[in-house]
Amino acid sequence: MRLRALLDTDALGLRLLGGEEELDRTVRGVMTTDLKDPSRYLTGGELVLTGLAWRREPADSERFVRILTAAGVTGLAAGEAELGSVPDDLVLACARHRLPLFAVDEDVSFASITEHVVRQVSTERAGDLAAVVERHRRLMASGPAGGGPDAVLDLLGSDLDLRAWVLSTTGRRIAGSDHPLPPQVRAELAGEHLAASRTGRRSPHRAYAAGRPYSLFPIRSGDPAADVRATLLSDWFLAVDADAGEWPAERLDLLHGVTQLIAVERERRDASRTVRRRLAAEVMDLVQAGAPPSEIAARLRVAAPVLAPGLGAAPHWQVVVARVDWAGGGVPSGPAAQALLEEALVDPAAVGSDPADRIAVAHAGDEALALVPLSSVDTEGPAPELSAQRLLGMLRAPLSHGLDGDGRLTIGVSAAVHSADGLRGALEEARHARRVAAARPGRVCVAGHEELASHVLLLPFVPDDVRRAFTARLLDPLRDYDQRHRADLIPTLGAFLECDGSWTRCANRLHLHVNTLRYRIGRIEQLTGRDLSRLEDKVDFFLALRMS
């Protein structure tokens, strides 16, 4: 498309500030940036959109425009929302370098301009697919009422005979073909997408699941120049039931254009979460500061219509704490964990771009803190608590593969509390549970409140040298004896403790005569100097087996 065409589109509201003689330049793409030096992300021919956050003094304009001109940029569009108007020094710099300059009215979003340019450029490149792109444009421009991502993917099926789905990084289906993808396939594709994006592989990523090839196209939100790990765990991706390896460039361009159209819907969803995030942060700030329960309760009553729509004024609450740690650091954990929890806490059976209207997540330092409301009164009784095991089952497969070798996710889940009085305790409970999870091996670990009332809470924090000394003193004599005589003393000990010291039940489980069992237990007592009729010795053996 030509730059001149931008002025012919009244809906974009662009005003030309300079460079009229250069309006026949060709636009080959669009990029939004507020970096002082975006040159490494420019390939030439782009229309650059900027909010002017890079400008600190008039001299910055000359440096910025010189960089754009050297990179072969076609034109520059500057937003007026930051400074109220486009500064004269930028107008003069663009005139010196013959770079066309547009002003973007503060009521016009960069997403709208991006959508328009992507649509036009993809249309010109795709040739005979122009009608498809135009239909996509009409549907997306009408917003959620026009069908959103589902309508776009329906057209891919009807016009191009492509089955495609928009999936989250947990494998949840956000939009796509009526043909269902099994949960295991979705989890495998999510893991492949995460691994490919994290390691910088060029898209589309080729993946195989259940013996079929799929092509995965990332749908990234936010600053394209940011570290991919900052949004990796919450970004969507487009999974196409085809191998795009031999596709012509025109079709690949079209699919990349579709991902940018869907990214507009993603930005709408993220914007809708701003209020919930702010309210959650206000509540959690009061809780962490030790504010009186009456003050927290008053804030919750005000926030309840947004944080817990449809659940009444006094829902029950659970607190979830999460942390993401990347190898080498450099990526803020709090925002990444916040965005991940907003997706992970959605019911995996829910379909759509924003079913999370009851998910409120804030972040404090390196932790994300989620307030999960539960219905206090329901036709079938109280709503079930969020289960740590269910959360682990949903996240472990895709995220373990995606984080492999580079990152780690740990989550703690509190018990439900019935009023503001219990929120401080719930927060501490969730934090303790997360520390229990962090003490375990694995890329994705989740612990629940129920584990804090048992020995499970204590064992992970026993120093390794103490653990080794304790287990060696009790179990090494038995291991040595088993190796020499194949006597199975350690399996016998474990079974005896699991049967609560019942001779008959243990003998039946091991398919032994009771006298044989008694002989083995006697041998264990002789080798260790312990008495398995004493509670203290039973506890010591139980803990040694759990720590070994």
Side-chain angles (χ1 to χ4, degrees):
M1 66 176 295
R2 306 286 181 181
L3 275 177
R4 190 180 305 279
L6 295 173
L7 295 175
D8 297 334
T9 307
D10 294 337
L12 297 182
L14 296 178
R15 302 194 319 279
L16 183 66
L17 301 182
E20 184 174 0
E21 65 279 10
E22 304 291 336
L23 290 181
D24 286 327
R25 292 184 179 186
T26 300
V27 179
R28 296 187 176 88
V30 62
M31 177 187 178
T32 300
T33 185
D34 276 316
L35 295 173
K36 287 185 177 181
D37 182 3
S39 57
R40 57 180 170 169
Y41 304 106
L42 297 169
T43 58
E46 296 93 343
L47 171 68
V48 172
L49 309 176
T50 181
L52 301 177
W54 47 264
R55 184 185 177 276
R56 295 291 180 267
E57 57 184 8
D60 289 340
S61 294
E62 173 66 21
R63 288 191 289 268
F64 185 76
V65 172
R66 189 186 307 120
I67 289 169
L68 298 190
T69 304
V73 164
T74 294
L76 175 64
E80 296 180 319
E82 180 80 11
L83 303 178
S85 63
V86 177
D88 291 340
D89 46 87
L90 181 58
V91 176
L92 292 174
C94 287
R96 281 193 295 271
H97 292 276
R98 301 178 62 85
L99 181 67
L101 175 64
F102 301 86
V104 182
D105 189 273
E106 61 179 336
D107 293 328
V108 177
S109 71
F110 284 176
S112 299
I113 299 172
T114 299
E115 178 186 348
H116 177 83
V117 173
V118 168
R119 183 181 68 248
Q120 295 299 326
V121 172
S122 295
T123 299
E124 293 174 8
R125 289 177 180 174
D128 60 336
L129 300 177
V132 178
V133 178
E134 176 61 19
R135 291 169 67 188
H136 290 176
R137 181 201 66 77
R138 291 201 304 268
L139 286 164
M140 293 303 291
S142 60
D150 268 314
V152 175
L153 300 188
D154 285 346
L155 287 178
L156 283 181
S158 61
D159 291 62
L160 301 180
D161 196 27
L162 288 176
R163 290 193 306 186
W165 302 262
V166 176
L167 303 177
S168 76
T169 49
T170 65
R172 185 175 66 86
R173 181 170 73 89
I174 293 165
S177 171
D178 290 335
H179 179 77
L181 279 176
Q184 183 178 352
V185 171
R186 288 188 270 116
E188 288 181 22
L189 294 178
E192 289 293 336
H193 156 71
L194 285 168
S197 296
R198 177 177 53 79
T199 55
R201 281 163 44 195
R202 184 180 180 88
S203 68
H205 313 135
R206 184 182 300 174
Y208 286 86
R212 294 183 63 85
Y214 293 85
S215 297
L216 312 180
F217 295 79
I219 301 173
R220 291 203 66 192
S221 58
D223 186 353
D227 191 320
V228 68
R229 298 176 300 175
T231 59
L232 175 67
L233 299 181
S234 58
D235 281 338
W236 297 349
F237 67 99
L238 179 68
V240 180
D241 186 9
D243 186 346
E246 301 300 323
W247 281 6
E250 292 83 358
R251 178 164 285 206
L252 285 174
D253 286 342
L254 177 65
L255 265 293
H256 284 298
V258 168
T259 63
Q260 293 189 42
L261 292 175
I262 296 173
V264 174
E265 174 69 12
R266 173 64 189 270
E267 291 174 4
R268 289 178 182 145
R269 189 202 70 162
D270 288 345
S272 72
R273 290 181 168 178
T274 303
V275 174
R276 291 201 300 276
R277 286 179 170 182
R278 178 174 57 80
L279 291 175
E282 291 175 359
V283 172
M284 298 311 293
D285 284 347
L286 290 174
V287 172
Q288 294 184 95
S294 58
E295 184 178 351
I296 298 173
R299 194 71 195 92
L300 277 176
R301 282 194 295 272
V302 174
V306 176
L307 299 184
L311 293 187
H316 297 169
W317 302 91
Q318 278 182 278
V319 176
V320 179
V321 174
R323 176 172 173 140
V324 179
D325 293 293
W326 293 101
V331 180
S333 173
Q338 177 185 42
L340 173 64
L341 278 187
E342 286 174 335
E343 171 58 41
L345 296 178
V346 178
D347 184 339
V351 176
S353 60
D354 193 15
D357 62 351
R358 293 180 181 174
I359 306 300
V361 189
H363 69 83
D366 288 332
E367 291 181 330
L369 316 173
L371 270 174
V372 181
L374 307 171
S375 176
S376 56
V377 179
D378 195 285
T379 55
E380 299 179 0
E385 291 187 13
L386 175 67
S387 163
Q389 286 304 309
R390 183 188 71 80
L391 197 57
L392 177 62
M394 181 176 66
L395 299 178
R396 180 160 47 191
L399 296 187
S400 292
H401 184 47
L403 293 169
D404 186 30
D406 199 17
R408 192 159 188 261
L409 169 67
T410 53
I411 298 177
V413 182
S414 80
V417 295
H418 311 305
S419 67
D421 296 24
L423 278 179
R424 184 172 177 80
L427 175 59
E428 290 305 314
E429 193 173 57
R431 280 178 164 158
H432 279 306
R434 193 205 65 79
R435 286 193 284 271
V436 170
R440 295 171 176 165
R443 291 289 168 188
V444 179
C445 296
V446 184
H449 61 90
E450 65 279 354
E451 300 182 51
L452 304 185
S454 76
H455 64 281
V456 174
L457 172 63
L458 303 176
L459 295 186
F461 302 102
V462 177
D464 288 343
D465 55 343
V466 176
R467 181 192 302 260
R468 286 192 294 268
F470 181 76
T471 57
R473 187 176 299 116
L474 282 172
L475 300 183
D476 278 3
L478 307 183
R479 290 195 184 99
D480 293 342
Y481 191 88
D482 281 346
Q483 287 177 357
R484 292 196 308 269
H485 303 283
R486 298 182 180 179
D488 290 335
L489 294 186
I490 287 182
T492 300
L493 174 62
F496 184 72
L497 295 175
E498 288 174 7
C499 291
D500 301 321
S502 169
W503 298 100
T504 302
R505 281 196 291 135
C506 183
N508 289 337
R509 174 182 291 191
L510 297 176
H511 306 290
L512 298 174
H513 192 279
V514 172
N515 289 340
T516 304
L517 176 60
R518 290 185 184 278
Y519 172 80
R520 289 186 182 180
I521 297 299
R523 178 62 67 181
I524 290 170
E525 293 174 334
Q526 180 184 22
L527 291 170
T528 60
R530 299 299 187 103
D531 182 355
L532 277 166
S533 66
R534 297 177 66 248
L535 176 60
E536 294 88 340
D537 289 341
K538 286 180 181 176
V539 170
D540 284 349
F541 276 123
F542 174 78
L543 294 176
L545 289 171
R546 293 301 298 266
M547 288 191 293
S548 64

